[in-house]
Amino acid sequence: MLSTQADTAQPSEVERLIGTAVSQALQQKNVATDAVIHGLFSRENLEPGIKTIADVWKILPYENYVITGELTPEQLIAALTEMPFTGPRRGPSLIGLRFRVDAGSTKIIGVEKSDGQPLERSRRYRVAMNTYDASGAGQRMMRLRAIMTDPAAKAQIHRVQTREALISFLAGKGNVGVNKRDLIS
């Protein structure tokens, strides 16, 4: 089973599945990414077994294209700080990189690689996300929108759709007996 539950500021297993699918779809188009930003639409865990297109629609009920942008660590923090990490309106997660959170709070104090190594402050990291989030997520992520519209982000829309990426990834696995170690963190 892949869970939709996660610790504060960490992606759930289902978010990691979506992020892995998006990352793999971009790799097939020779686009490397450092991270993926994506959230959940359903709080239902994903049980093992063969999945249908209808099952994928439950995970991703809205279709969006994928866009990449080159963001600094400070921009990543600024963009995702405006969304809550807990509760029923939990915002999207960062998959492939991870936040450091202040002990006892949900305040983000840094971003690091999934192995705990610090990010280079002067480097930009290529981050994939869906076009809805990049355009402000219905006015909930306006910092991300501002960052993505800055020419320095080099935003680029790709001919990859999130649901299509997930279908392709699952079709390659045959069923959701996906080894959790195969998912990016």
Side-chain angles (χ1 to χ4, degrees):
M1 172 189 76
L2 298 180
S3 175
T4 59
Q5 302 301 308
D7 292 334
T8 300
Q10 299 302 315
S12 71
E13 292 166 346
V14 173
E15 287 168 315
R16 290 173 50 211
L17 172 68
I18 296 167
T20 301
V22 166
S23 180
Q24 180 178 312
L26 287 170
Q27 283 176 352
Q28 291 171 350
K29 296 189 176 291
N30 296 316
V31 177
T33 58
D34 297 296
V36 176
I37 294 173
H38 209 288
L40 296 173
F41 295 100
S42 171
R43 299 293 177 211
E44 291 181 34
N45 295 329
L46 188 59
E47 298 298 329
I50 301 295
K51 296 300 164 204
T52 65
I53 300 297
D55 293 322
V56 174
W57 275 71
K58 289 177 189 173
I59 299 167
L60 293 171
Y62 305 102
E63 188 58 271
N64 286 285
Y65 279 96
V66 174
I67 186 170
T68 55
E70 295 180 13
L71 284 66
T72 66
E74 289 77 18
Q75 288 174 321
L76 282 167
I77 292 169
L80 291 176
T81 296
E82 65 188 329
M83 294 295 292
F85 289 109
T86 59
R89 298 283 293 166
R90 183 175 182 248
S93 290
L94 182 64
I95 304 123
L97 299 173
R98 67 180 187 195
F99 290 121
R100 285 192 331 271
V101 179
D102 185 42
S105 77
T106 58
K107 182 177 183 212
I108 298 171
I109 57 172
V111 185
E112 60 193 18
K113 296 177 183 176
S114 58
D115 64 4
Q117 296 297 313
L119 298 184
E120 296 174 38
R121 293 182 65 117
S122 61
R123 181 176 166 222
R124 290 184 169 270
Y125 293 83
R126 185 173 293 143
V127 181
M129 63 201 77
N130 66 52
T131 50
Y132 177 76
D133 287 344
S135 63
Q139 307 259 331
R140 291 188 317 267
M141 296 183 75
M142 297 307 287
R143 286 184 197 147
L144 181 58
R145 178 182 172 171
I147 291 165
M148 291 297 288
T149 57
D150 182 336
K154 299 179 183 174
Q156 183 178 1
I157 296 176
H158 302 276
R159 297 183 74 79
V160 171
Q161 295 183 342
T162 54
R163 190 182 307 127
E164 175 187 302
L166 184 57
I167 290 168
S168 178
F169 181 79
L170 292 175
K173 295 293 181 186
N175 66 54
V176 182
V178 176
N179 188 330
K180 295 174 187 178
R181 292 180 304 223
D182 292 340
L183 304 177
I184 59 177
S185 297

